[in-house]
Amino acid sequence: MRLAPPITCDADVSEGAAWLAEGEPRFAMALAQTGPLPLRLRPPGFAGLLDIIVGQQVSVASARAIYTRLVAAGLDRPENVLRAGDDGLRAAGLSRPKARYVLALAERDFDFDALHCLSDDEAIAALIAMPGIGPWTAQVYVMFCLGRRDVFPSGDLALQEAARGLFDLPARPSPKDLSAMAAAWSPWRSVAARLLFAYYQVLKQKEGLS
């Protein structure tokens, strides 16, 4: 199995964006409004997955504040998480379920390095096998911590809402429908996701979305 080269720099994102804009005029229109897309890469490993878990179902501002507190307390390292326990994680702002998931992750001694040798689907499956790691979390990790270029988390509400607005859909597409749409954006679905995340911010300003 030969893996595609990962996204590692802004030039890779720009290449993918240009390819998408050439094949889909609405992406070209969106890029004209968003400007250059962010790289959005995160460090792989425990800290990167912790960052994504913290961001589940909370605002970006809340996630940043909680993750900053965790890092300041050294709780981005599994050995410190185990010492802090549930009480320490809860004091840093994690909900009870998230504290439980992070503790389980710290106890597991998961081999994050091994993910680099796996296909996208294999890496996602390995992550989902851990408690509290669902498809969205695993896909976002593979996209932004491993830099894979052709992953698309179709269950993300912001991506669904951005697709609704950009493609003039009558309603927010279901994960299944959005996944089917995204098939046409391969081999750069991870850049399509970056574009739609950026376009969602444009829509929020236009439509007052929360």
Side-chain angles (χ1 to χ4, degrees):
M1 177 189 62
R2 186 175 181 180
L3 299 176
I7 291 172
T8 60
C9 60
D10 289 327
D12 293 333
V13 176
S14 296
E15 179 186 351
W19 185 90
L20 291 164
E22 183 177 356
E24 173 51 69
R26 292 184 191 240
F27 278 144
M29 180 187 74
L31 278 168
Q33 298 179 65
T34 65
L37 302 177
L39 187 57
R40 295 187 69 142
L41 292 183
R42 307 178 185 187
F46 181 87
L49 186 53
L50 172 66
D51 192 6
I52 296 167
I53 292 171
V54 169
Q56 294 172 347
Q57 298 179 324
V58 298
S59 70
V60 172
S62 294
R64 288 294 94 218
I66 295 169
Y67 188 70
T68 298
R69 288 198 296 273
L70 290 168
V71 172
L75 297 178
D76 55 341
R77 297 190 296 276
E79 62 273 18
N80 292 345
V81 166
L82 293 175
R83 279 195 290 269
D86 182 78
D87 289 343
L89 293 171
R90 296 272 286 144
L94 287 184
S95 66
R96 190 174 302 281
K98 286 184 182 179
R100 185 170 66 248
Y101 301 151
V102 171
L103 273 171
L105 178 62
E107 291 168 351
R108 197 176 183 93
D109 192 27
F110 185 77
D111 186 359
F112 286 97
D113 290 339
L115 296 177
H116 293 276
C117 301
L118 301 180
S119 70
D120 298 344
D121 288 343
E122 290 169 340
I124 290 167
L127 288 164
I128 289 174
M130 292 190 286
I133 308 299
W136 179 86
T137 302
Q139 289 163 343
V140 170
Y141 183 92
V142 171
M143 282 175 59
F144 295 138
C145 296
L146 299 184
R148 300 297 174 85
R149 61 175 64 193
D150 199 30
V151 176
F152 192 88
S154 58
D156 190 284
L157 294 181
L159 294 182
Q160 294 167 14
E161 193 60 35
R164 178 200 63 77
L166 183 59
F167 292 94
D168 293 325
L169 303 177
R172 181 187 295 166
S174 68
K176 181 179 179 180
D177 289 342
L178 185 54
S179 181
M181 287 179 64
W185 309 332
S186 181
W188 286 106
R189 282 178 286 190
S190 295
V191 176
R194 285 170 169 82
L195 200 165
L196 289 172
F197 279 134
Y199 188 69
Y200 179 69
Q201 299 304 315
V202 173
L203 276 186
K204 282 176 68 175
Q205 294 178 354
K206 286 183 177 178
E207 301 181 4
L209 296 173
S210 59

